[in-house]
Amino acid sequence: MDYILDFFKYIIGLGVTVMMPIIITILGVVFRKKISTAFKAGLTVGVGFVGLGVITGLMLSTISPVTKALVLNYNFKLTATDIGWGVGSSLAWGTEVVPFVFIAIIATNIIMIALKWTKTMDVDIWNYWQPLFIASALYLTTGSMIIAVLSAVINMAIIFKIADWTQKDVEDVLGLEGISLPQIQTSGWAIIGYPINWLFERIPGVKNINWSTEKVQSRLGIFGEPMLMGLIIGGGLALVAKMPFSTVLQTGVTISACLVLIPRMVSLLMDGLTVISEAAHEFMEKRFPGRELFIGLDSAVGIGHPFVLSLGLIMIPITLLLAFILPGNKVLPLADLTALPFYMIFAIVPSKGNLFRGIFTGVIITTITLYLAGAAAPLMTELAGQIGYNIPKDATEVTSLAVGTQWYTWIVYNVLHFFGNLF
């Protein structure tokens, strides 16, 4: 078992920039592309992910000091510290359920495709950590491997269906042709985002409020362009955080650059994926006429759109404010504040980019996330203790906003936990 676990850790440890070229190359060969064409497509995707990772890392490293300053300067005192999705994922990949859950997820995807229950072929292996976390928590609390594996199968079957359902908007609104987003912490919110948008459409007066990127740009002129929006949002956050003026300028210019460069890296990544997407379509058309197949990818490919990234940045101070005023909240948002753009995709995609509706939906999503992250804190603290993670000073518990964003998985967790304890 230790050897199997070490093997999976090694594969995952290669990182998305190595895993994705390998996976894309293999898929290209499977779909009858020349190995040279498949390899070039895989390498192009790898280069795109490298560029996306570098620019996203730059954005996160620039915003992180600002978020920490916001916390310190406004005296947030809460007991469960948000230590970030990175630690959450390492906890998930570090338990003995990994090989069983990993194989179960792949088998679930293959079976659902074969039975025409999904059109999404999920190659986003890294983000298996999300169902893995719930599976690990269930194994910890029930001691049942069957219950743990079952939770992953249920959670991923749901997200595959949601990825299919939302693919049209992912393509039309975000410009990701043939791509779906089978990522629980992102697409799971579509179940909430679309009904909220439906309600907005039926409220007189309010339904006519449309802060779209096009209208913002037309009203604000040059200040509505992504470059200037990044400068204003980044610099504004640093200013509110009481950072030195030099830092305010540096933050503004860096975020401005990120809003311009991230879409270009996504475009490069899509050049490689288009080859595989077309090959998959041809392959399926020959063998199964009329069937579609979507490539399931990390939601990082979706945060490059100006309104997604802008909403994510706007939600940083709003999330901090909510953490302070929500009754019963015990979570101190910190590390995962910079990941908010990932969680906000389906706060704004349902309305086709209406920032007004996006902020309102984002508040609801963040509120749910904070309470769920607080409820998950005891489990995450116990899992962290098992792998020897040191609890930060002044924190009695640790948690992650990312764990809270996996909202429907906690319904599955509680149902299976109940039955697991019965037997």
Side-chain angles (χ1 to χ4, degrees):
M1 180 62 68
D2 288 339
Y3 288 118
I4 295 173
L5 195 57
D6 288 342
F7 172 75
F8 277 95
K9 286 182 179 179
Y10 174 76
I11 295 297
I12 298 303
L14 293 174
V16 68
T17 57
V18 175
M19 280 199 307
M20 285 306 300
I22 293 172
I23 292 171
I24 294 300
T25 301
I26 293 172
L27 286 175
V29 173
V30 169
F31 293 139
R32 301 294 189 266
K33 283 291 182 182
K34 292 181 180 179
I35 191 167
S36 57
T37 303
F39 177 74
K40 182 179 178 182
L43 190 57
T44 302
V45 170
V47 171
F49 266 112
V50 168
L52 191 60
V54 169
I55 299 168
T56 303
L58 175 63
M59 181 183 73
L60 299 185
S61 64
T62 301
I63 286 293
S64 289
V66 176
T67 59
K68 290 178 181 178
L70 284 168
V71 170
L72 291 173
N73 289 330
Y74 294 94
N75 197 31
F76 287 89
K77 292 181 179 178
L78 299 162
T79 58
T81 301
D82 166 27
I83 57 176
W85 67 267
V87 177
S89 63
S90 66
L91 297 181
W93 283 107
T95 66
E96 56 192 292
V97 306
V98 170
F100 304 102
V101 170
F102 187 89
I103 293 170
I105 293 173
I106 292 178
T108 300
N109 195 200
I110 293 172
I111 291 170
M112 289 182 68
I113 290 173
L115 296 176
K116 299 182 182 181
W117 292 351
T118 184
K119 299 177 182 179
T120 292
M121 181 173 62
D122 187 10
V123 298
D124 183 23
I125 293 173
W126 170 252
N127 281 305
Y128 285 7
W129 81 264
Q130 295 157 27
L132 269 169
F133 185 90
I134 295 298
S136 299
L138 276 166
Y139 187 67
L140 173 70
T141 55
T142 68
S144 171
M145 185 65 73
I146 294 174
I147 292 291
V149 172
L150 181 60
S151 73
V153 170
I154 294 171
N155 287 327
M156 291 307 290
I158 292 171
I159 205 63
F160 292 149
K161 296 301 294 181
I162 294 174
D164 289 346
W165 169 46
T166 57
Q167 194 279 331
K168 184 62 176 175
D169 279 345
V170 167
E171 184 170 305
D172 293 346
V173 181
L174 301 180
L176 302 175
E177 185 176 354
I179 303 300
S180 62
L181 305 178
Q183 192 176 6
I184 295 172
Q185 65 185 17
T186 295
S187 298
W189 292 112
I191 302 175
I192 291 176
Y194 280 93
I196 292 174
N197 186 65
W198 181 87
L199 286 174
F200 268 114
E201 290 290 344
R202 283 149 183 81
I203 301 175
V206 175
K207 68 179 182 180
N208 298 322
I209 301 174
N210 185 12
W211 297 353
S212 66
T213 50
E214 293 79 7
K215 287 190 175 181
V216 168
Q217 288 178 8
S218 65
R219 294 282 180 89
L220 300 180
I222 188 175
F223 293 100
E225 295 180 5
M227 187 182 298
L228 269 296
M229 288 175 67
L231 180 68
I232 294 168
I233 294 172
L237 284 173
L239 192 64
V240 172
K242 303 178 182 179
M243 307 289 281
F245 187 65
S246 59
T247 303
V248 171
L249 294 177
Q250 290 168 351
T251 301
V253 172
T254 301
I255 299 302
S256 173
C258 291
L259 259 67
V260 173
L261 295 176
I262 286 178
R264 298 186 182 183
M265 290 302 102
V266 172
S267 177
L268 177 62
L269 185 150
M270 289 298 297
D271 287 343
L273 288 174
T274 299
V275 174
I276 303 304
S277 181
E278 291 176 351
H281 177 74
E282 292 172 5
F283 183 87
M284 296 298 291
E285 191 63 34
K286 287 180 180 178
R287 288 156 182 80
F288 308 99
R291 286 198 64 184
E292 286 183 295
L293 194 64
F294 308 136
I295 307 297
L297 288 180
D298 188 307
S299 57
V301 299
I303 69 167
H305 199 288
F307 61 61
V308 173
L309 196 50
S310 297
L311 177 61
L313 294 173
I314 289 170
M315 287 305 299
I316 290 176
I318 293 175
T319 301
L320 286 168
L321 178 62
L322 288 171
F324 184 72
I325 65 175
L326 286 174
N329 172 60
K330 64 177 182 179
V331 176
L332 173 63
L334 195 58
D336 273 342
L337 284 172
T338 52
L340 284 173
F342 292 86
Y343 314 148
M344 291 296 124
I345 289 178
F346 284 99
I348 195 167
V349 163
S351 63
K352 308 297 189 292
N354 187 331
L355 194 59
F356 172 78
R357 298 184 188 182
I359 292 173
F360 184 89
T361 307
V363 168
I364 294 175
I365 288 174
T366 304
T367 299
I368 296 171
T369 295
L370 286 170
Y371 283 126
L372 287 178
L379 277 173
M380 188 162 178
T381 303
E382 190 170 351
L383 283 171
Q386 287 189 352
I387 68 167
Y389 182 83
N390 293 320
I391 307 300
K393 292 181 179 179
D394 302 324
T396 57
E397 295 176 315
V398 294
T399 189
S400 163
L401 292 184
V403 171
T405 58
Q406 301 168 36
W407 71 274
Y408 74 76
T409 67
W410 291 105
I411 299 174
V412 175
Y413 170 86
N414 283 296
V415 171
L416 292 181
H417 184 267
F418 173 77
F419 284 107
N421 286 335
L422 282 181
F423 300 103

